[in-house]
Amino acid sequence: MVTFKDGQWVDDDKAVVSVRSRALNYGMGCFGGIRGYLADDGHEVFVFRLRAHVERLAHSAKILYLRMPGSIEETSRILVELLRRNEVHQDIYVRPLLLHNSNALAPVLDIESTSFIAFCMPLKRYIDKDAIRVCVSSWRRVRDNAIPSRTKPTGAYLNSALARREAFDNGFDEAIFLTEDGKVSEGSAEHIFIVRRGVLVSPPSTEDNLDGITRRSIIAMATEDLGLPFEERSIGRSELYVADEMFLCGTGAQITPVASVDHREIGDTTIGPITARLKQYFDDVVHGRVEQRKKWLTPVWG
Ligand code: PMP
């Protein structure tokens, strides 16, 4: 596939980074993760919330002393061109990546050494199950005042990887992080929603979780379009066990129902009624079937 690297369009195997790069040695960089959905006509591809993703990348860049390749519009144009150059007519994942790409030894945040890379890959499902069994991880979420968790910093994904590995080793499908203070934070790459007595609840981003775009979109769809009550508040571990419904969400996971938490079953272990409604609506929105939400979609070919 064709990849963008520092102003050039190159084959994937030409988009390389030195073994000496700080980006590799110290995990110094940040990235985005964006989805494009094949439309019902089998030709058009709708990129979901492109602008919001590029804005979040710009916020990460600001926090981590990295330079964007241009304005929000210019960066968005590069990402759309990436899909055009790869002649994409399928469900796709786009990964913009900003790296501290200097070969100097010390871990210094030097904006001048920024590399901007963007590549894409076909992606259907990130979690290949209809409802998943999750556990609360023994690993705690990295704190925002240790490695800023509202960004997507490359190095912090070791935290996610440790939690996922532990979950898999123990026979679960995914891990739930608590904060150092014992509040529910997020999954390894997903946000958390529960339903209690008809109210949708999700913890705030101050609970050391990413500034999540799927989460924000679900809150907007639930409250503005579907009239569902929503509360943003802290969730304790044991509250997960007594939730009526629970789901994880994210660009990869989309809306993934949770069947059990630490072996405590949630509902009838399939998908609850509110989750099912949201999941169907989300699917309609990302495929361009909901007129009022088309503003969230960037057509690649249209
Ligand atoms: N948390 C983490 C740690 C993630 O990596 C992701 C995936 N980007 C999410 C949550 C979900 O965020 P979003 O909806 O913006 O993809």
Side-chain angles (χ1 to χ4, degrees):
M1 292 188 101
V2 180
T3 287
F4 184 84
K5 180 167 187 288
D6 300 322
Q8 310 283 328
W9 294 99
V10 293
D11 277 345
D12 263 9
D13 56 358
K14 299 269 167 15
V16 291
V17 169
S18 165
V19 290
R20 294 171 189 264
S21 176
R22 281 172 178 152
L24 185 61
N25 283 266
Y26 306 125
M28 287 169 57
C30 67
F31 61 98
I34 308 167
R35 254 187 199 268
Y37 292 89
L38 183 65
D40 295 335
D41 67 6
H43 175 80
E44 186 57 274
V45 172
F46 292 125
V47 183
F48 184 60
R49 306 217 60 184
L50 178 60
R51 189 181 177 89
H53 278 281
V54 174
E55 282 173 351
R56 183 177 69 192
L57 188 69
H59 289 157
S60 299
K62 180 179 181 186
I63 292 169
L64 301 174
Y65 296 90
L66 288 156
R67 183 178 287 136
M68 292 286 281
S71 64
I72 301 296
E73 289 72 25
E74 285 159 353
T75 307
S76 302
R77 269 199 294 278
I78 294 170
L79 300 180
V80 172
E81 193 178 341
L82 174 72
L83 299 182
R84 289 211 180 121
R85 285 190 180 238
N86 283 294
E87 290 174 35
V88 166
H89 296 286
Q90 59 190 312
D91 290 338
I92 196 89
Y93 181 84
V94 182
R95 165 63 54 84
L97 183 60
L98 286 161
L99 300 177
H100 282 286
N101 203 8
S102 155
N103 294 350
L105 185 63
V108 173
L109 295 170
D110 171 16
I111 195 165
E112 299 307 327
S113 69
T114 302
S115 264
F116 175 77
I117 297 162
F119 61 89
C120 62
M121 65 181 87
L123 181 65
K124 285 259 175 224
R125 296 178 87 180
Y126 172 74
I127 296 178
D128 203 17
K129 282 198 172 163
D130 292 335
I132 57 173
R133 300 171 67 247
V134 306
C135 60
V136 172
S137 184
S138 72
W139 297 96
R140 294 292 166 258
R141 190 66 183 141
V142 65
R143 280 199 154 169
D144 186 51
N145 62 0
I147 298 179
S149 34
R150 73 171 51 250
T151 69
K152 278 175 76 70
T154 50
Y157 280 78
L158 193 51
N159 186 223
S160 292
L162 284 165
R164 283 198 109 202
R165 174 70 202 231
E166 180 189 59
F168 293 165
D169 284 350
N170 292 326
F172 295 98
D173 303 310
E174 183 51 291
I176 303 298
F177 278 118
L178 303 181
T179 65
E180 289 289 353
D181 302 327
K183 304 280 176 40
V184 171
S185 177
E186 61 180 340
S188 72
E190 309 88 9
H191 286 92
I192 296 170
F193 282 83
I194 60 171
V195 177
R196 291 211 69 200
R197 302 184 190 95
V199 180
L200 203 55
V201 185
S202 177
S205 63
T206 43
E207 234 82 275
D208 296 331
N209 58 57
L210 177 70
D211 173 19
I213 290 159
T214 315
R215 176 181 180 278
R216 267 197 259 145
S217 306
I218 287 171
I219 295 168
M221 292 186 295
T223 57
E224 295 165 22
D225 302 358
L226 302 178
L228 297 170
F230 168 73
E231 264 178 39
E232 182 175 80
R233 63 164 171 81
S234 296
I235 298 175
R237 175 179 188 156
S238 62
E239 197 177 3
L240 297 178
Y241 301 159
V242 295
D244 303 319
E245 299 179 35
M246 177 172 167
F247 63 87
L248 303 186
C249 71
T251 298
Q254 303 177 85
I255 293 180
T256 300
V258 171
S260 67
V261 185
D262 290 342
H263 303 290
R264 277 74 163 189
E265 292 185 350
I266 306 294
D268 68 0
T269 74
T270 60
I271 183 168
I274 291 179
T275 309
R277 222 178 134 197
L278 274 167
K279 192 170 160 60
Q280 181 60 55
Y281 191 70
F282 180 83
D283 196 62
D284 289 341
V285 166
V286 298
H287 288 95
R289 299 175 204 130
V290 178
E291 200 53 45
Q292 81 218 60
R293 290 295 175 193
K294 278 196 167 165
K295 57 181 189 264
W296 279 352
L297 308 178
T298 303
V300 172
W301 299 104

